[in-house]
Amino acid sequence: MVSVIIGTQWGDEGKGKIVDLFSKDADFVVRFHGGSNAGHTVIVNGKKYPFHLIPSGILQPNAKGVIANGVIVDLEVLISEIKMLEEDGMELKGKLFVSDRCHLIIPYHKALDLAYENARGKDKLGTTGRGIGPALADKVSYNGIRIYELLDWENFVDKFTFQTNIKNKILKTFNIEPINVKRELDRFLKLRKIILPCVTDTYQLLQNALKDKKNILMEGAHGVMLDIDFSPYPFSTGSNVIIGAVNTGAGIPLKNLDQVWGVTKAYTSRVGGGPLPTEVHGALADIIREKGGEYGTTTGRARRIGWLDLEAVKFACQLCGVTDLIITKIDVLSGLEKIKVCIEYKLNSKSISYSSCGYNELSKLTPIYKELPGWKDDISKVRKFSDLPKNCQNYLKFIEKFLGTPVKLISTGPARDEYIKS
Ligand code: GDP
Ligand code: IMO
Ligand code: MG
């Protein structure tokens, strides 16, 4: 059984919590794209684990974590997560597997990410500053350095020195301090020792798992609205977020996918720049942001807030073949008198689909809303659909009907046990 969890919005839908929950029955939980720009929160026994690279299911005793080839790896971030788990007594050897095909984030990628952002000035994109774009650019222009290179230290030193010397020339044009080759090599030598015991051929590992009919859970990062091809570029992240990334990023054939779970937050958030058609401002945004703790897991930035945008989510479900929906953070909407849901986009009085919009259209269009009555009661302790306030049930039924996809799970709080199966 192979299932995939993807975010159907602009990221931060609550994927980490769901991946942790579903990993109870998983043999392998796999990150297959993106990098440490992801921030997935898991809360177990009151303790908060913010994962950026290690799969969010790692805390489940039977689940093995895999960082497959499609992930770009910042060793420093990865090792700090390994240390966080080791402090809890977890032994990572034999529990965490990292592909030697993963490309590395090198300090010059982070420097370049920030340099480009600063150069853009008021038009900056609002990246996470984790070096994602420049590292992926190096990957496709044959200038990347992989974990594979780390296996042969002399080879790594050659490639690292060559690339750093070139990047230092580019950094100079931005008036940025050059990277000190020797100091960085010393650092990588130490990081290498820690990570090598986890490095393996994750392709073969997962092919064997498929052959042995193991349960594999693919942990999507970001959200479909940030996909490099299907978002209003350049307000994107650097990787493909859509379902094809399971194949390119982990080698799992798409014909093996049994279930595609679309995680959808009951409202919308976005961190960074770019159009957000249903954005709300002022007191209402503040209430939802504070109640939902909408501050970036990776950067701590305040997230922008909007009403649920079903035109966008419909596109995500269609594009990725979502078979089942998970609605998260429905508890955050309790107490609102009225709740709006975007059901259509109009531009110059004409209906327009999300897929035919670039950033210009998305910035100018008028969202058409359906207004639904809210509910007062706190629902965080509710564990049965029929115990939810009627208006909350109706809100969920409306989403299900509009999208034509069943809502199988409703998350009512950040902790592992706060959910309703419907
Ligand atoms: P991810 O990137 O999709 O994994 O989401 P993040 O972890 O970045 O952000 C989701 C935030 O909402 C985290 O702080 C979670 O602990 C929290 N969260 C997840 N599910 C729920 C929920 O159903 N209700 C509430 N109130 N918080 C939730
Ligand atoms: P998770 O997995 C929210 C956004 C950034 C920025 C744009 C490009 O936690 O849902 P990048 O650093 O990727 O070059 O930044 O993409 N972004 C995310 N926003 N959640 C994420 O991941 C994101 N990953 C990237 O904020 O707007
Ligand atoms: Mg996140």
Side-chain angles (χ1 to χ4, degrees), residues 10-12 15 37-40 125-129 132-133 221-222 226 236-237 271-273 301:
W10 283 264
D12 305 325
K15 300 175 293 295
N37 46 350
H40 296 176
L125 303 173
T127 72
T128 60
I132 303 298
H222 328 303
L226 295 169
S236 327
T237 188
V271 62
R301 291 178 292 179

Side-chain angles (χ1 to χ4, degrees), residues 12-16 39-41 297 303 329 331-332 411-414:
D12 305 325
E13 296 88 352
K15 300 175 293 295
H40 296 176
T41 316
T297 312
R303 294 174 182 153
K329 307 192 84 161
D331 54 300
V332 175
S411 176
T412 57

Side-chain angles (χ1 to χ4, degrees), residues 107-407:
Y108 48 69
H109 291 133
K110 285 190 256 189
L112 284 169
D113 193 355
L114 297 176
Y116 277 114
E117 281 289 79
N118 289 334
R120 287 184 189 109
K122 65 172 183 29
D123 294 326
K124 71 176 175 196
L125 303 173
T127 72
T128 60
R130 295 292 183 115
I132 303 298
L136 285 164
D138 267 359
K139 176 176 176 176
V140 297
S141 63
Y142 325 119
N143 288 304
I145 304 180
R146 294 165 302 163
I147 290 184
Y148 178 82
E149 270 72 54
L150 274 179
L151 299 175
D152 173 350
W153 182 245
E154 294 311 314
N155 185 25
F156 181 81
V157 171
D158 282 353
K159 290 208 149 91
F160 184 90
T161 308
F162 175 74
Q163 287 297 333
T164 306
N165 286 339
I166 292 174
K167 299 305 191 300
N168 277 345
K169 288 183 192 154
I170 303 172
L171 290 175
K172 200 170 165 199
T173 65
F174 283 109
N175 283 327
I176 291 178
E177 275 287 286
I179 307 287
N180 182 312
V181 173
K182 174 158 185 339
R183 195 167 1 139
E184 283 307 318
L185 280 173
D186 287 348
R187 202 172 62 88
F188 269 99
L189 192 59
K190 289 192 194 114
L191 297 173
R192 169 184 189 263
K193 267 205 194 105
I194 304 173
I195 197 63
L196 282 192
C198 293
V199 173
T200 192
D201 177 358
T202 60
Y203 170 72
Q204 206 50 60
L205 181 78
L206 292 172
Q207 293 301 313
N208 292 343
L210 285 176
K211 205 163 67 207
D212 297 341
K213 305 224 173 312
K214 298 285 187 195
N215 281 333
I216 303 175
L217 180 62
M218 307 301 295
E219 175 176 357
H222 328 303
V224 173
M225 302 306 139
L226 295 169
D227 182 85
I228 185 75
D229 285 294
F230 286 96
S231 63
Y233 182 93
F235 297 102
S236 327
T237 188
S239 61
N240 276 118
V241 174
I242 57 173
I243 228 68
V246 168
N247 189 211
T248 55
I252 304 259
L254 296 182
K255 68 170 188 189
N256 287 87
L257 300 189
D258 296 290
Q259 247 172 336
V260 180
W261 294 91
V263 183
T264 304
K265 181 145 62 179
Y267 50 95
T268 298
S269 71
R270 169 166 207 163
V271 62
L276 188 60
T278 62
E279 184 159 17
V280 293
H281 299 277
L284 178 64
D286 294 342
I287 290 169
I288 295 177
R289 183 179 304 109
E290 294 312 314
K291 201 162 169 207
E294 295 296 354
Y295 291 90
T297 312
T298 301
T299 57
R301 291 178 292 179
R303 294 174 182 153
R304 297 156 64 196
I305 303 293
W307 294 117
L308 178 60
D309 183 343
L310 286 181
E311 171 60 29
V313 177
K314 184 177 76 182
F315 170 68
C317 290
Q318 185 183 54
L319 180 61
C320 294
V322 168
T323 57
D324 305 272
L325 283 168
I326 296 166
I327 306 296
T328 58
K329 307 192 84 161
I330 188 82
D331 54 300
V332 175
L333 297 182
S334 296
L336 297 181
E337 208 169 303
K338 293 214 161 71
I339 300 174
K340 287 195 198 178
V341 193
C342 171
I343 49 168
E344 191 184 0
Y345 291 166
K346 283 226 159 131
L347 188 64
N348 304 326
S349 311
K350 283 201 195 112
S351 199
I352 184 168
S353 66
Y354 178 91
S355 61
S356 36
C357 291
Y359 55 82
N360 269 332
E361 291 76 10
L362 284 172
S363 310
K364 283 191 226 142
L365 59 76
T366 308
I368 307 299
Y369 291 107
K370 165 97 181 160
E371 202 170 76
L372 294 157
W375 58 92
K376 284 204 174 66
D377 329 28
D378 173 15
I379 55 168
S380 55
K381 303 280 174 297
V382 176
R383 295 292 168 266
K384 264 173 44 198
F385 187 83
S386 55
D387 290 343
L388 284 170
K390 271 279 161 306
N391 286 348
C392 181
Q393 291 186 21
N394 289 340
Y395 184 66
L396 292 160
K397 283 183 192 158
F398 182 84
I399 297 171
E400 189 172 64
K401 188 156 177 232
F402 185 93
L403 296 172
T405 309
V407 173

